[in-house]
Amino acid sequence: MKLLVNGTSMDVHSNTLEALLAAQGLRDAKVATAVNGAFVPAAFRATYLLSDGDSVEILAPMQGG
């Protein structure tokens, strides 16, 4: 399946958001996720099914001031 992940087109074999994060090495990372512009809470990632053409954003928290 082809996804747009953080603006980069990718061919992936992951069918859930959680599986995509694991494939990207982010299984235990503290990140925020959105699919097609809609926030997906961590509690729903395991059951959130991805579809061909979805746009996924994975954002890490930043510190600053």
Side-chain angles (χ1 to χ4, degrees), residues 17-59:
L17 186 53
E18 182 176 85
L20 175 65
L21 290 173
Q24 297 294 310
L26 300 170
R27 178 183 303 260
D28 296 321
K30 301 293 183 201
V31 295
T33 53
V35 177
N36 300 323
F39 174 70
V40 179
F44 295 105
R45 293 177 188 159
T47 57
Y48 193 98
L49 295 176
L50 297 170
S51 298
D52 191 52
D54 278 348
S55 177
V56 180
E57 293 292 326
I58 304 168
L59 304 168

Side-chain angles (χ1 to χ4, degrees), residues 1-13 20 24 51-58:
M1 146 173 43
K2 190 171 284 271
L3 300 175
L4 192 62
V5 179
N6 289 349
T8 301
S9 181
M10 298 181 142
D11 286 316
V12 300
H13 300 288
L20 175 65
Q24 297 294 310
S51 298
D52 191 52
D54 278 348
S55 177
V56 180
E57 293 292 326
I58 304 168

